[in-house]
Amino acid sequence: MTLTFYKYQGTGNDFVIIDNRQLIFDKNDTKRIKHLCDRRFGIGADGLILLENHDTLDFKMVYFNADGNESSMCGNGGRCIVAFANFLGLIDKQTSFMAIDGEHQAVIENGIVRLHMQDVNNIEKHENHVFLNTGSPHHVELNNNLQELNIKSLGSKIRYGSPYFEAGSNVNFVSKLSNDNFSVRTYERGVEDETLSCGTGVTAVALAMHTIGETTTNDITLQTPGGELKVSFKQSGKGYTDIWLQGPAIQVFKGEISW
Ligand SMILES: N[C@@H](CCC[C@H](N)C(=O)O)C(=O)O
């Protein structure tokens, strides 16, 4: 059997994307998903995404981490699947689609995708970090020595440590460049390593920096090792609404897998 796949990247966060509207792909085959994401024995990616039909919206996104397990929301993956839906001719410039955390709106123009994220109401401020869920759980901590950090080692200690343990959290290290510009490196749960960028991660960083007073603006630029993303939002009481994540989403190649 052969299966056509597409490879996409959004600021270096890369994904295998499969058109599963005919339900040809076995979602329970964790071993196969892990194998396809393997950078030496498979195609190589931070995650795998299925595009499926939805009853009332344009399509449904099903996201798996590179470890083969279905996971919570992926912001960069969400932007990439919008570019894929546009490539397939399923959508024009605007779309509404379903993901694991609910309905998302998005706009695509000249390869740039703006993705509407869910409202965030619960932000935990701790002594040295902030914890919040932007569709996926994120631990955010400031560090002025970003370039020197061993993200895999430090991130893994936090991800598996108290209070996260096995369920885990993604971990973001942040350095302030100016009031509206921050540099971010992220350790991703389910990849269990640093990725070049994380969409829900930079969203969490923008909201966390606003919450702790490190920025006064609601339109923030985030520098990741894979490129630049923008996050805008409105403050509403102790939470945030009208949250948008913006950046490039690019098709890298198309291929066929046989098994
Ligand atoms: N790369 C993602 C986040 C994907 C989910 C994450 N690894 C988790 O399991 O929480 C993004 O761009 O948001």
Side-chain angles (χ1 to χ4, degrees):
M1 180 185 164
T2 61
L3 182 69
T4 303
F5 71 88
Y6 294 82
K7 181 77 189 288
Y8 274 76
Q9 61 91 3
T11 47
N13 203 189
D14 60 343
F15 310 97
V16 170
I17 304 191
I18 294 167
D19 177 357
N20 198 34
R21 283 177 292 172
Q22 304 301 321
L23 301 178
I24 42 168
F25 193 86
D26 180 2
K27 290 198 262 284
N28 297 316
D29 198 342
T30 308
K31 232 172 121 184
R32 183 172 308 283
I33 297 167
K34 186 176 177 184
H35 173 79
L36 293 174
C37 291
D38 191 291
R39 296 197 185 276
R40 293 187 177 81
F41 295 100
I43 301 160
D46 295 325
L48 181 143
I49 306 173
L50 302 177
L51 182 146
E52 297 190 344
N53 287 320
H54 188 272
D55 285 349
T56 53
L57 303 178
D58 293 332
F59 60 90
K60 178 180 166 191
M61 163 183 175
V62 186
Y63 176 75
F64 302 85
N65 276 323
D67 66 5
N69 295 306
E70 188 173 351
S71 195
S72 42
M73 182 57 184
C74 177
N76 285 330
R79 296 189 308 97
C80 286
I81 202 169
V82 168
F84 183 52
N86 176 267
F87 166 79
L88 291 177
L90 266 181
I91 62 161
D92 189 19
K93 279 186 180 168
Q94 304 214 348
T95 183
S96 294
F97 70 93
M98 188 56 75
I100 193 151
D101 61 342
E103 187 177 334
H104 288 263
Q105 270 78 47
V107 182
I108 176 165
E109 245 168 340
N110 304 322
I112 301 293
V113 180
R114 269 168 61 77
L115 176 66
H116 185 250
M117 308 297 281
Q118 305 300 347
D119 293 352
V120 175
N121 293 312
N122 239 330
I123 303 189
E124 295 174 23
K125 283 198 266 179
H126 298 268
E127 203 180 325
N128 293 316
H129 74 276
V130 176
F131 178 79
L132 66 163
N133 193 312
T134 51
S136 281
H138 285 277
H139 173 113
V140 178
E141 68 179 54
L142 280 161
N143 190 303
N144 289 329
N145 208 16
L146 215 53
Q147 299 322 314
E148 309 305 319
L149 299 183
N150 182 334
I151 301 291
K152 184 169 182 175
S153 153
L154 284 171
S156 158
K157 275 192 197 116
I158 295 170
R159 176 257 189 265
Y160 285 107
S162 172
Y164 309 122
F165 300 119
E166 197 49 42
S169 174
N170 301 284
V171 183
N172 305 272
F173 299 93
V174 191
S175 155
K176 181 172 175 173
L177 303 173
S178 70
N179 185 45
D180 64 352
N181 202 349
F182 293 82
S183 186
V184 184
R185 291 178 70 188
T186 304
Y187 173 96
E188 263 195 57
R189 171 183 77 162
V191 180
E192 307 313 343
D193 205 343
E194 179 176 15
T195 56
L196 292 185
S197 152
C198 177
T200 51
V202 297
T203 305
V205 167
L207 302 182
M209 292 303 109
H210 193 267
T211 297
I212 61 173
E214 289 291 334
T215 180
T216 50
T217 177
N218 55 3
D219 205 340
I220 297 179
T221 303
L222 293 310
Q223 312 295 339
T224 73
E228 195 175 279
L229 288 161
K230 286 184 186 296
V231 175
S232 62
F233 50 83
K234 284 188 183 138
Q235 193 171 16
S236 150
K238 286 189 175 162
Y240 294 92
T241 60
D242 207 16
I243 305 166
W244 291 85
L245 167 68
Q246 175 180 316
I250 293 161
Q251 186 180 122
V252 185
F253 60 86
K254 173 186 179 183
E256 278 188 351
I257 323 155
S258 317
W259 66 76

